[in-house]
């Protein structure tokens, strides 16, 4: 007996017309598919590269390495406060413009202009070339023709996105669509305490997306993270989401929550009880006034409500917790069988040492779970690559995995058609 | 005899200070992998009963302007959280079945 009502079709999967047959994971192991995906997905979709708080003042900048597109971009707040993005390359002889110590590592800082380390060409924060070393030695060179190459850059709800296509097919807001953009009513700008994690995972980027867009795995893979009484109850119950939403290429899973402080001691770890915190966040919520309905959050109206996790195409997740904090995930492909995973936690800044300690347990818990997820993916990738199996059954709680692979396939097919048509 | 790292009220925790008063998560995580289980258990057993008093002491200061021994005590509390996973869940330093995975914390709030 389902704890939560399913759509009239009998399942979420049928409701969203995604097909119920076992699916192929060829899209996660084929080098040829990966090459197509780079062009069809990562050079056409809007990609989130960070938040405006990472650019606190005029001249603040950070670089983003985009191995999937074999490029690097620099994002900068100009003297007019506009956020702009440029390819991170000097117009003179193609040297990477902004880097420190290691050319392939990301960097950030504040600057009045960018100066190439090689021959000293200089660029204003708006990309204009303003100085050429020994300019008189060049032939008919007009600095006005040698500004930095701009990258399409738009900001939504404080999230900075870039688009690497020559001309994006949609504006950022049109790309995000009417459901995702409701989230702009969430007060992201108040949650500025930032924890930034990064690791390399030897698995296709979509496998990690899959791991975090279904919770069917949670009672099993993470069973030992909780006391035995909790784990057996969780496995007994299994996982059911009260609501899934699909909006264009994007998808949401919403979950019901618990009030840990109402649980008996045999259901909690002692550390959770004494610090009043845990994986789901601090037990004592900050004052965060916002209109849940306007933000489209908790669509099933759960009380208590657990979390809403929006998977924003292609590789970005915004996960808002019922305990009034949020996190983001980014999955940056580096090959068909590897990617860089970034997890960023955002809290309302701790006002007291006690609040700060509660944040610490939430963050440390996040990593304990994340390590289990990441390591399992490597075990999955290697055996998918063995090609012993070709089709894999997905259940109704894995509906969003089905959707991701379908959408990626559609973008690749569309790209191939455009290429064939010579567009 | 080196100068104490912790406030005088927490002299009983001083034997753990040089090992566990570590300012970053990466140092605390590395220490958790390096220190034997019985020592983590001893640290956990010593500090958890003092949690409320330690927290009450730290809460007498503003978070952005704590004295050095208060900051050290905060770092000791962060380490208490770090060792709680080996002690309460795993019975070993590393998370089981995570040999190939890592997740580096590159930006974290103070103090």
């Amino acid at each position: 007996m389902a704890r939560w009502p399913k759509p009239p079709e009998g399942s979420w999967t049928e409701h969203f017309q995604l097909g119920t047959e076992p699916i192929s994971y060829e899209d996660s192991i084929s080098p040829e598919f990966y090459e197509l995906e780079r062009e069809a997905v990562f050079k056409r979709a809007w990609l989130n590269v960070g938040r405006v708080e990472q650019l606190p003042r005029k001249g603040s900048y950070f670089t983003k390495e985009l191995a999937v597109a074999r490029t690097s971009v620099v994002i900068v707040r100009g003297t007019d406060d506009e956020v702009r993005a440029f390819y991170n390359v000097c117009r003179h002889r193609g040297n990477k413009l902004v880097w420190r110590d290691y050319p392939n590592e990301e960097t950030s800082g504040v600057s009045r202009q960018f100066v190439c380390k090689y021959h000293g060409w200089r660029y204003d924060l708006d990309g204009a070339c303003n100085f050429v070393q020994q300019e008189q030695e060049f032939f008919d060179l007009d600095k006005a023709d040698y500004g930095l190459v701009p990258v399409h850059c738009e900001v939504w709800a404080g999230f900075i996105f870039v688009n690497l296509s020559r001309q994006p097919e949609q504006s950022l807001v049109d790309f995000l669509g009417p459901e995702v953009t409701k989230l702009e009513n969430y007060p992201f700008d108040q949650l500025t305490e930032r924890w930034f994690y990064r690791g390399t995972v030897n698995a296709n980027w979509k496998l990690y997306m899959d791991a975090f867009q279904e919770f069917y795995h949670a009672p099993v893979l993470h069973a030992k993270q909780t006391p035995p009484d909790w784990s057996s109850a969780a496995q007994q119950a299994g996982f059911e989401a009260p609501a899934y939403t699909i909006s264009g290429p994007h998808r949401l899973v919403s979950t019901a929550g618990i009030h840990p402080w109402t649980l008996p001691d045999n259901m909690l770890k002692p550390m959770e009880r004494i610090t009043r915190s845990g994986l789901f966040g601090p037990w004592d919520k900050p004052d965060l006034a916002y209109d849940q309905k306007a933000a489209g959050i908790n669509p099933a109206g759960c009380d208590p409500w657990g979390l809403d996790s929006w998977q924003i195409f292609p590789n970005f997740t915004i996960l808002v917790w019922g305990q009034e904090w949020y996190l983001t995930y980014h999955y940056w492909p580096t090959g068909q069988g590897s990617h860089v995973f970034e997890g960023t936690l955002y809290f309302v800044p701790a006002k007291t040492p006690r609040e700060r300690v509660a944040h610490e347990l939430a963050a440390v818990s996040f990593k304990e779970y994340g390590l289990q997820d990441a390591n399992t993916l490597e075990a999955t990738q290697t055996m998918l690559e063995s090609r012993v199996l070709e089709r894999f059954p997905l259940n109704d709680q894995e509906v969003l995995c089905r959707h991701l692979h379908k959408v990626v396939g559609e973008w690749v097919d569309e790209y191939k058609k455009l290429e064939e048509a010579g567009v | 005899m080196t100068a104490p790292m912790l406030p005088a009220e927490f002299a009983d925790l001083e034997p753990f200070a040089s090992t566990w008063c570590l300012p970053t998560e990466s140092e605390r995580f590395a220490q958790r992998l390096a220190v034997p289980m019985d020592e983590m258990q001893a640290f956990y057993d010593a500090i958890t009963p003092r949690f409320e008093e330690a927290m009450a002491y730290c809460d007498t200061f503003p978070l952005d302007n704590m004295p050095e021994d208060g900051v050290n005590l905060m770092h000791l509390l962060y380490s208490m959280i770090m060792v709680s996973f080996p002690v309460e869940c795993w019975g070993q330093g590393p998370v089981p079945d995570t040999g190939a995975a890592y997740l580096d914390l590159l930006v974290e709030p103070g103090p």
Side-chain angles (χ1 to χ4, degrees):
Chain A
M1 180 63 196
R3 290 199 296 285
W4 300 100
K6 299 238 184 185
E9 295 83 353
S11 71
W12 295 99
T13 308
E14 290 159 295
H15 176 65
F16 296 125
Q17 300 181 337
L18 295 171
T20 55
E21 68 288 351
I23 72 159
S24 162
Y25 271 91
E26 188 64 23
D27 67 3
S28 302
I29 58 174
S30 153
E32 295 75 28
F33 190 89
Y34 176 64
E35 289 306 317
L36 282 166
E37 205 175 55
R38 306 166 80 129
E39 301 295 327
V41 174
F42 287 89
K43 290 191 186 173
R44 283 169 72 215
W46 286 94
L47 306 174
N48 176 259
V49 290
R51 275 197 59 81
V52 290
E53 290 83 10
Q54 291 167 256
L55 302 173
R57 48 199 190 97
K58 295 174 177 39
S60 294
Y61 67 86
F62 63 87
T63 64
K64 191 78 210 163
E65 296 302 307
L66 298 171
V68 66
R70 292 192 185 86
T71 197
S72 168
V73 295
V74 56
I75 295 95
V76 59
R77 184 184 289 277
T79 50
D80 56 358
D81 265 324
E82 274 297 302
V83 174
R84 294 185 180 82
F86 303 98
Y87 286 101
N88 189 8
V89 57
C90 176
R91 288 297 304 270
H92 172 222
R93 281 195 12 224
N95 188 36
K96 183 176 275 191
L97 184 62
V98 184
W99 54 281
R100 191 171 297 147
D101 293 331
Y102 296 93
N104 289 324
E105 286 189 4
E106 292 174 356
T107 185
S108 62
V110 185
S111 186
R112 279 185 297 184
Q113 60 184 352
F114 298 120
V115 184
C116 183
K117 295 175 193 289
Y118 202 173
H119 303 95
W121 284 38
R122 297 180 203 157
Y123 302 89
D124 290 335
L125 301 178
D126 64 4
C129 179
N130 69 30
F131 175 80
V132 169
Q133 172 78 5
Q134 289 176 264
E135 189 175 349
Q136 71 282 2
E137 295 279 351
F138 283 88
F139 307 94
D140 305 321
L141 183 137
D142 182 350
K143 289 200 291 289
D145 297 333
Y146 286 89
L148 297 178
V149 182
V151 176
H152 297 283
C153 179
E154 291 184 24
V155 177
W156 164 79
F159 293 98
I160 304 167
F161 289 75
V162 298
N163 188 305
L164 300 175
S165 65
R166 263 178 219 288
Q167 189 54 51
E169 291 154 45
Q170 290 176 294
S171 69
L172 173 61
V173 164
D174 287 345
F175 171 76
L176 293 174
E179 296 299 325
V180 172
T181 49
K182 284 182 190 166
L183 267 181
E184 66 198 13
N185 293 300
Y186 186 82
F188 293 107
D189 59 346
Q190 293 180 43
L191 292 94
T192 54
E193 184 189 293
R194 180 168 175 262
W195 305 60
F196 176 60
Y197 291 88
R198 187 164 63 198
T200 301
V201 181
N202 288 321
N204 184 271
W205 64 281
K206 296 186 293 299
L207 296 191
Y208 213 161
M209 296 274 312
D210 283 353
F212 281 158
Q213 59 191 346
E214 56 89 355
F215 297 112
Y216 171 56
H217 75 277
V220 180
L221 180 63
H222 304 306
K224 292 206 164 61
Q225 298 266 10
T226 43
D229 286 350
W230 170 285
S231 301
S232 55
Q235 276 192 39
Q236 197 76 39
F239 173 80
E240 284 177 38
Y244 292 102
T245 303
I246 283 179
S247 176
H250 319 294
R251 65 208 85 90
L252 168 77
V253 52
S254 183
T255 76
I258 43 159
H259 287 155
W261 51 92
T262 63
L263 296 175
D265 279 340
N266 65 328
M267 299 292 264
L268 288 169
K269 286 179 282 190
M271 197 52 47
E272 297 175 295
R273 176 77 71 197
I274 72 170
T275 61
R276 299 181 59 78
S277 185
L279 178 72
F280 301 159
W283 293 2
D284 301 299
K285 291 193 218 181
D287 290 325
L288 203 60
Y290 73 98
D291 184 340
Q292 210 175 63
K293 212 176 182 77
I297 282 173
N298 185 13
C302 295
D303 184 19
W305 158 65
L307 61 84
D308 274 18
S309 179
W310 265 112
Q311 320 293 311
I312 298 172
F313 192 76
N315 67 332
F316 176 44
T317 297
I318 301 175
L319 188 158
V320 177
W321 290 93
Q323 290 304 114
E324 311 290 42
W325 60 295
Y326 81 99
L327 52 79
T328 62
Y329 302 135
H330 295 85
Y331 312 83
W332 297 108
T334 50
Q336 100 276 357
S338 64
H339 70 277
V340 171
F341 169 75
E342 296 171 345
T344 315
L345 282 48
Y346 296 89
F347 297 92
V348 173
K351 291 182 193 70
T352 64
R354 191 180 290 269
E355 287 180 10
R356 175 62 184 77
V357 165
H359 294 184
E360 186 78 19
L361 182 61
V364 172
S365 303
F366 164 78
K367 176 164 165 172
E368 300 285 314
Y369 280 76
L371 285 172
Q372 289 187 311
D373 289 303
N375 207 54
T376 303
L377 301 178
E378 209 163 314
T380 308
Q381 183 74 29
T382 51
M383 289 319 290
L384 289 179
E385 287 181 1
S386 78
R387 290 194 165 84
V388 171
L389 301 171
E390 287 177 349
R391 297 280 157 179
F392 303 88
L394 298 186
N395 71 45
D396 203 32
Q397 302 300 331
E398 294 168 304
V399 59
L400 300 190
C401 307
R402 206 180 272 278
H403 179 250
L404 167 65
H405 292 267
K406 178 165 179 274
V407 173
V408 170
E410 287 169 353
W411 277 56
V412 165
D413 287 344
E414 191 189 348
Y415 169 78
K416 285 200 284 197
K417 277 198 199 112
L418 290 172
E419 284 293 289
E420 280 161 20
V423 179
Chain B
M1 185 68 195
T2 50
M5 295 176 75
L6 298 173
E9 299 92 311
F10 299 95
D12 56 313
L13 299 177
E14 196 63 38
F16 303 101
S18 62
T19 306
W20 293 109
C21 288
L22 302 169
T24 66
E25 185 270 351
S26 64
E27 291 168 279
R28 294 187 291 272
F29 196 85
Q31 193 74 312
R32 149 189 177 174
L33 299 182
V35 170
M37 264 318 288
D38 57 343
E39 283 181 40
M40 285 197 272
Q41 183 76 53
F43 169 51
Y44 177 92
D45 290 343
I47 191 169
T48 47
R50 302 297 314 276
F51 174 77
E52 268 309 319
E53 290 147 297
M55 212 61 267
Y57 176 87
C58 290
D59 271 339
T60 60
F61 303 102
L63 193 56
D64 58 358
N65 192 20
M66 299 188 75
E68 195 183 334
D69 57 4
V71 170
N72 287 338
L73 188 55
M74 287 291 281
H75 293 164
L76 206 62
L77 292 174
Y78 303 160
S79 284
M80 171 194 75
I81 288 169
M82 179 59 76
V83 303
S84 76
F85 285 86
V87 169
E88 295 178 357
C89 302
W90 310 130
Q92 62 179 47
V95 185
D97 292 338
T98 64
Y102 73 94
L103 204 48
D104 293 333
L105 182 55
L106 302 178
V107 177
E108 64 194 302

